[in-house]
Amino acid sequence: MLGSANLTESAARRNIEAGVLVTGGEAPRRTAEHIVELQRLGILRPFPLRRVPG
């Protein structure tokens, strides 16, 4: 899955993001392995969302 994301609080609340699913071949497996490694290294982390009173 490839996509974009604006990592701001405003974007997390209001934006609609799109992506594309790639299947088959080496690209999906290698991409997944790369993402897992970035998570292991702490480069990719969950983005904490704060609730806005409303």
Side-chain angles (χ1 to χ4, degrees):
M1 176 76 167
L2 301 173
S4 69
N6 296 310
L7 299 178
T8 65
E9 186 173 336
S10 175
R13 286 193 316 246
R14 296 188 310 215
N15 287 359
I16 297 172
E17 301 294 340
V20 64
L21 179 63
V22 179
T23 60
E26 290 288 310
R29 180 189 59 78
R30 291 180 64 202
T31 301
E33 289 173 352
H34 184 64
I35 290 170
V36 167
E37 182 65 6
L38 292 174
Q39 290 172 327
R40 186 187 72 77
L41 293 171
I43 295 168
L44 288 180
R45 299 183 307 271
F47 184 74
L49 295 178
R50 291 181 287 162
R51 296 219 178 260
V52 176

